């Protein structure tokens, strides 16, 4: 395959700009106080765009459209959950967490419960969740690069790892609110413009073609299409069809015309299938085949209702426990600003997520061949080239590729920085040299996993990280902020049981070693593991109530008192004590008013 | 002049009382935390009920899924577009009420 020069240049430009920003754009903000000083002057809108820019990852940019193409209406819960997670964060966490002055989750745990051992447990969980989240980012990068250049998947993953590690070691766009905010608008534009253009374009197609999305039949190929099978697939065929095959099909070598009766058919890796224009698209087993059932919710899966609910629980409660989300909230000057920022984040995410859905619908019309080889995550990337032709399609393709690449870079940088931060402060002695070592470790380990992991759909594999976060840090944050009775032993028990169970469930899914019914059920553990985590934390805390910290009342006050009383205090993990130094400060605050 | 100074001193003492959570301070703080938690739980429950009802409605009444409005199917309109303004509305209500709770508390302390 010929590399797409437009797309490659766009990707190179994004990568080079990112590194240049890192080298020349900024002073180094590595400590929390640098970060704080750099961010204080920024209003909620900028902060919100920065949070959204960092949050919208490969899963949002590529994954959702791919899942919509494959699973239809059920996939719409992913963007809804990704957004609603910020509502849960707003209601239960945002302002109190900001006032607590915690910069990372281990900071919060230590400040609230005064336990170094609990801090260690949190550190391990941050690293586990961060790596689980990084793997799909690298997979997405590999997919993007291999789609536009034809290079194997690992090349793209390795390129992104190197850029991200360089970027974080140099000093990082991560800390610059401005760059992350820019990333949001870049991603929105890179998706919205092609979607608008394609919507206008498809309005000119025949009514019959456009209404085929609601037909009682599978999608069809608009032109003669050749599909390369990279991994073994089982395909569902609803009505008998003829195709040309080259390679192993249904267990026998084939070279030429093949007749497929209605039913399931296998195609092995390396096979090449050729379909004539107008023939119906066979669909990878497990997804709705006919367009009208694809339009309907709950039409596929082992236990669709349970899977939907469990997914929503994971996404709703998992957002607050993601390592890279929390640090950004620290850039708000106070609790009120944290609330205002979260509100704007909800608006920005809602705006963005309108587009992946439309892209998924368009993909069902124009790139149905991805249903055959299962590489639906490439839908957004291939859409412009398949729907249109000539220079406009190449330019749009380049825009989309650049946006996708920006998505991996920003999210992966944020995650690597968060992981390297806790690695260097809690696992290694915290000197700058060690921060660099930690960054390399933080970036290379997920790369190794990426090469070993199963090719789960991006949005699904990101949801695994949400499930673990929802079963570990969500109860810690919610109980820590609202319940006086929480103890360090209870918190640690809940983290270990909830986080451990959910991790044990999703790890085999991520590695792809399970057979279908378990693969889909274990991928959605949250509906079970989240209540278990909450209960464990509460019961063990009750049993160890003598370990409730003595100053719990004061810490809770600090988190909940209105900002204008000046009771919250910045700084890292100092515990608030009413000293002679505090009172004049309060008095001073009063006088200034 | 004298009155104002006394007032300031009293506010500082009230603040200290709130900080140390002795006497009336403790009651106030507990009231604030409780009010904020109830607010969050109420709006959280509303969101969960509304979002949770959607898959259930489509499961119990599959014909709902085939209703078309302006060329788009109902599930796509609800999940693809309609949910987001709803989430924003809940967030807006929360921010307003949470800030009012805090204002009440601050006024109580400062009065």
């Amino acid at each position: 395959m010929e590399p797409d020069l437009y797309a490659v240049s766009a990707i190179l430009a994004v990568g080079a700009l990112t590194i240049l920003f890192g080298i020349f754009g900024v002073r180094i903000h590595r400590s929390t106080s640098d970060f704080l000083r750099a961010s204080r002057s920024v209003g909620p809108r900028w902060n919100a765009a920065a949070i959204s820019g960092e949050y919208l990852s490969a899963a949002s940019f590529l994954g959702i459209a791919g899942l919509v193409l494959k699973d239809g209406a059920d996939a719409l819960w992913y963007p809804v959950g990704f957004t609603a997670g910020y509502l849960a964060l707003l209601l239960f966490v945002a302002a109190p967490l900001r006032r607590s002055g915690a910069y990372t989750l281990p900071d919060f745990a230590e400040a609230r419960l005064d336990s170094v051992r609990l801090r260690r447990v949190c550190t391990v969980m941050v690293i586990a969740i961060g790596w689980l989240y990084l793997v799909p980012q690298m997979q997405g990068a590999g997919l993007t690069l291999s789609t536009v250049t034809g290079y194997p998947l690992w090349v793209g993953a390795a390129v992104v790892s190197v850029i991200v590690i360089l970027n974080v070691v140099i000093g990082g766009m991560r800390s610059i609110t401005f760059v992350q905010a820019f990333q949001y608008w870049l991603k929105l534009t890179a998706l919205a413009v092609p979607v608008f253009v394609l919507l206008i374009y498809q309005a000119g197609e025949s009514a019959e073609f456009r209404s085929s999305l609601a037909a009682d039949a599978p999608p069809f190929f608009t032109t003669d299409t050749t599909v390369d099978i990279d991994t073994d697939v089982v395909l569902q065929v609803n009505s008998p069809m003829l195709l040309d095959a080259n390679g192993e099909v249904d267990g026998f070598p084939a070279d030429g015309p093949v007749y497929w009766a209605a039913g399931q058919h296998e195609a092995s890796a390396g096979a090449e299938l050729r379909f004539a224009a107008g023939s119906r698209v066979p669909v990878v087993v497990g997804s709705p085949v006919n367009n009208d059932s694809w339009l309907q919710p709950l039409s596929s899966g082992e236990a669709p209702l349970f899977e939907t609910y469990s997914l929503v629980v994971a996404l709703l409660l998992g957002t607050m426990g993601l390592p890279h989300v929390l640090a950004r909230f620290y850039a708000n000057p106070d609790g009120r600003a944290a609330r205002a920022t979260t509100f704007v984040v909800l608006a920005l995410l809602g705006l963005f997520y309108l587009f992946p859905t439309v892209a998924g619908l368009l993909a069902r019309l124009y790139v149905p061949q991805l249903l055959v080889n299962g590489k639906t995550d490439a839908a957004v990337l291939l859409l412009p080239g398949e729907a249109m032709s000539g220079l406009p399609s190449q330019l749009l393709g380049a825009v989309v590729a650049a946006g996708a690449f920006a998505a991996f870079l920003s999210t992966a940088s944020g995650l690597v920085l968060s992981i390297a931060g806790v690695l260097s402060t809690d696992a290694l002695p915290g000197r700058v040299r060690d921060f660099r070592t930690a960054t390399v470790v933080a970036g290379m380990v997920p790369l190794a996993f990426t090469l070993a992991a199963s090719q789960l759909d991006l949005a699904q594999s990101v949801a695994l990280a949400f499930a673990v976060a929802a079963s570990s840090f969500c109860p810690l944050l919610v109980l820590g902020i609202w319940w006086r009775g929480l103890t360090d032993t209870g918190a640690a028990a809940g983290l270990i049981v909830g986080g451990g169970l959910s991790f044990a469930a999703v790890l085999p899914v991520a590695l792809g070693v399970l057979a279908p019914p378990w693969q889909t059920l274990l991928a959605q553990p949250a509906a079970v593991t989240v209540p278990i985590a909450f209960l464990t934390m509460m019961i063990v805390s009750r049993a160890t109530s003598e370990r409730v910290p003595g100053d719990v009342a004061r810490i809770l006050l600090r988190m909940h008192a209105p900002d204008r009383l000046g009771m919250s205090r910045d700084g890292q993990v100092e515990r608030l004590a009413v000293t002679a130094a505090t009172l004049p400060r309060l008095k001073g605050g009063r006088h200034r008013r | 002049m004298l009155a104002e100074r006394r007032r300031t001193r009293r506010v500082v003492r009230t603040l200290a009382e709130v900080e140390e959570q002795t006497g009336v301070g403790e009651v106030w703080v507990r009231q604030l935390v409780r009010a904020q938690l109830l607010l969050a739980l109420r709006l959280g429950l509303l969101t969960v009920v509304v979002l949770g009802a959607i898959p259930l409605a489509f499961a119990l009444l599959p014909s709902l899924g085939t209703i078309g409005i302006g060329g788009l199917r109902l599930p796509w309109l609800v999940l693809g577009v309609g949910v987001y303004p709803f989430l924003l509305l809940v967030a807006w209500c929360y921010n307003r009420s949470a800030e009012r709770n805090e204002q009440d508390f601050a006024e109580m302390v400062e009065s």
Side-chain angles (χ1 to χ4, degrees):
Chain A
M1 171 188 167
E2 281 288 295
D4 176 346
L5 288 181
Y6 290 98
V8 173
S9 342
I11 287 175
L12 284 179
V14 169
L17 268 181
T18 304
I19 293 183
L20 282 179
F21 266 125
I23 298 175
F24 297 113
V26 271
R27 289 157 293 149
I28 294 177
H29 307 302
R30 208 167 269 145
S31 72
T32 50
S33 54
D34 286 346
F35 182 70
L36 190 63
R37 245 176 275 129
S39 318
R40 272 307 169 78
S41 49
V42 182
R45 282 188 200 171
W46 279 97
N47 257 328
I51 291 173
S52 313
E54 195 163 330
Y55 184 65
L56 292 173
S57 68
S60 300
F61 198 91
L62 299 178
I64 291 171
L67 271 186
V68 169
L69 159 64
K70 196 170 79 167
D71 291 341
D74 287 340
L76 298 178
W77 283 105
Y78 281 87
V80 169
F82 288 148
T83 311
Y86 277 93
L87 183 62
L89 195 147
L90 172 69
L91 295 186
F92 293 102
V93 175
L97 182 71
R98 173 61 196 91
R99 292 186 189 124
S100 78
Y103 182 63
T104 65
L105 285 160
D107 278 356
F108 172 80
E110 192 182 346
R112 170 69 176 79
L113 294 163
D114 197 19
S115 158
V116 178
R117 253 188 297 172
L118 176 63
R119 189 190 173 96
R120 295 262 153 76
V121 179
C122 289
T123 302
V124 172
M125 290 303 306
V126 164
I127 294 169
I129 294 170
W131 278 344
L132 209 52
Y133 206 123
L134 269 169
V135 170
Q137 308 307 322
M138 309 240 166
Q139 284 175 338
L143 178 79
T144 305
L145 274 190
S146 85
T147 305
V148 301
T149 62
Y151 293 146
L153 284 173
W154 65 266
V155 177
V159 167
V160 163
S161 308
V162 169
I163 295 181
V164 165
I165 289 170
L166 265 181
N167 188 33
V168 173
V169 167
I170 288 167
M173 75 183 181
R174 169 60 162 67
S175 41
I176 322 161
T177 306
F178 167 74
V179 177
Q180 288 288 8
F182 171 74
Q183 291 270 2
Y184 170 78
W185 295 105
L186 174 68
K187 287 175 210 178
L188 181 68
T189 316
L191 199 58
V193 168
V195 164
F196 270 121
V197 173
L198 286 170
L199 269 180
I200 294 168
Y201 179 82
Q202 70 91 41
E205 305 268 10
S206 73
E208 191 195 350
F209 175 64
R210 286 189 291 147
S211 66
S212 71
L213 267 189
D216 179 20
F220 60 88
F221 294 102
T222 50
T223 52
D224 291 351
T225 308
T226 304
V227 181
D228 295 316
I229 307 291
D230 290 344
T231 48
D232 298 357
V233 285
V234 182
L235 299 166
Q236 178 72 40
V237 174
N238 274 10
S239 52
M241 65 183 298
L242 272 172
L243 67 150
D244 257 16
N246 195 334
E248 201 178 304
V249 174
D250 285 330
F252 296 100
D255 188 14
V258 174
Y259 170 81
W260 274 0
Q264 297 195 345
H265 297 274
E266 287 168 36
S268 303
E272 198 182 83
L273 309 177
R274 284 182 297 278
F275 301 91
S279 68
R280 295 292 169 179
V281 178
V283 175
V284 175
V285 160
S287 296
V289 179
N290 285 350
N291 276 343
D292 63 342
S293 65
W294 167 82
L295 274 179
Q296 279 281 8
L298 307 168
S299 55
S300 65
E302 303 294 333
L305 206 55
F306 170 79
E307 284 170 38
T308 302
Y309 278 125
S310 205
L311 172 74
V312 174
V313 169
L315 301 183
L316 199 62
L317 301 178
T319 306
M320 64 178 77
L322 295 176
H324 62 305
V325 167
L326 173 51
R328 277 253 155 247
F329 270 84
Y330 198 67
N332 292 300
D334 56 32
R336 251 193 105 193
R339 286 199 191 115
T341 299
T342 320
F343 178 76
V344 183
V345 169
L346 279 167
L348 292 178
L349 292 182
L351 176 65
F352 179 87
Y353 283 133
L354 296 176
F355 297 101
T357 308
V358 182
L361 285 165
L362 290 167
R364 187 93 180 174
L365 281 176
Y366 289 110
V367 284
Q369 65 267 32
L370 297 175
L371 294 166
V372 182
N373 57 12
K375 285 160 75 174
T376 44
D377 283 324
V380 172
L381 297 166
L382 293 176
L383 195 48
E386 293 291 327
M388 305 163 67
S389 56
L391 189 64
S393 86
Q394 282 179 308
L395 289 179
L396 287 182
V399 166
V400 171
F405 211 67
F408 322 129
L409 283 184
S410 54
T411 305
S413 299
L415 282 164
V416 167
L417 191 92
S418 301
I419 298 170
V422 298
L423 264 181
S424 63
T425 47
D426 291 330
L428 308 162
R431 282 169 292 141
V432 175
R433 217 183 104 75
D434 289 327
F435 183 82
R436 291 187 177 148
T437 320
T439 306
V440 175
V441 175
M444 293 316 276
V445 173
L447 177 61
F449 273 116
T450 306
L451 306 180
S454 74
Q455 291 289 324
L456 213 58
D457 289 308
L458 293 176
Q460 289 171 334
S461 92
V462 159
L464 303 182
F466 277 80
V468 179
S471 318
S472 53
F473 285 128
C474 165
L476 173 71
L477 285 167
V478 170
L479 293 177
I481 287 171
W482 298 102
W483 189 44
R484 284 161 198 257
L486 187 69
T487 66
D488 55 348
T489 321
L495 282 179
I496 291 168
V497 172
L501 279 179
S502 53
F503 199 75
V506 304
L507 194 65
V509 178
L511 295 174
V513 295
L514 293 167
W518 293 110
Q519 182 80 1
T520 41
L521 288 179
L522 282 182
Q524 307 294 356
V528 178
T529 51
V530 171
I532 291 179
F534 267 100
L535 282 177
T536 313
M537 263 190 210
M538 294 169 81
I539 292 169
V540 177
S541 291
R542 272 267 175 267
T544 55
S545 55
E546 75 284 351
R547 295 184 62 88
V548 171
D551 53 355
V552 57
R554 225 170 276 144
I555 294 173
L556 245 66
L557 170 68
R558 195 171 125 190
M559 292 194 288
H560 293 284
D563 302 300
R564 70 189 225 207
L565 297 182
M567 286 176 182
S568 79
R569 209 169 51 160
D570 289 320
Q572 301 183 358
V573 286
E574 301 144 294
R575 318 202 85 209
L576 182 74
V578 177
T579 59
T582 322
L583 279 180
R585 203 188 136 182
L586 293 172
K587 200 163 133 194
R590 177 68 192 159
H591 277 313
R592 271 202 308 277
R593 283 177 54 79
Chain B
M1 212 48 227
L2 196 69
E4 193 166 90
R5 224 170 61 208
R6 196 181 300 150
R7 189 169 167 262
T8 311
R9 206 182 300 140
R10 208 187 68 215
V11 168
V12 172
R13 203 184 319 122
T14 327
L15 275 173
E17 201 172 78
V18 168
E19 282 259 40
E20 295 182 347
Q21 305 198 16
T22 49
V24 90
E26 189 189 346
V27 178
W28 285 356
V29 173
R30 278 182 189 267
Q31 259 174 11
L32 171 71
V33 174
R34 195 193 183 90
Q36 298 287 52
L37 181 61
L38 278 179
L39 171 66
L41 284 176
R42 226 176 278 142
L43 288 173
L45 194 71
L46 171 75
T47 313
V48 166
V49 167
V50 170
L51 288 187
I54 297 173
L56 204 62
F58 288 133
L60 296 177
L61 297 167
S63 59
L64 274 183
T66 55
I67 298 173
I69 300 165
L72 283 166
R73 293 282 182 97
L74 188 63
W76 293 76
L77 278 177
V78 170
L79 293 176
V81 185
V83 164
Y84 300 103
F86 167 71
L87 294 177
L88 265 184
L89 184 70
V90 175
W92 183 76
C93 289
Y94 173 78
N95 278 0
R96 235 179 45 142
S97 308
E99 255 146 48
R100 200 182 307 132
N101 286 344
E102 288 181 356
Q103 210 173 338
D104 292 349
F105 177 81
E107 271 161 16
M108 217 156 42
V109 171
E110 286 171 347
S111 64

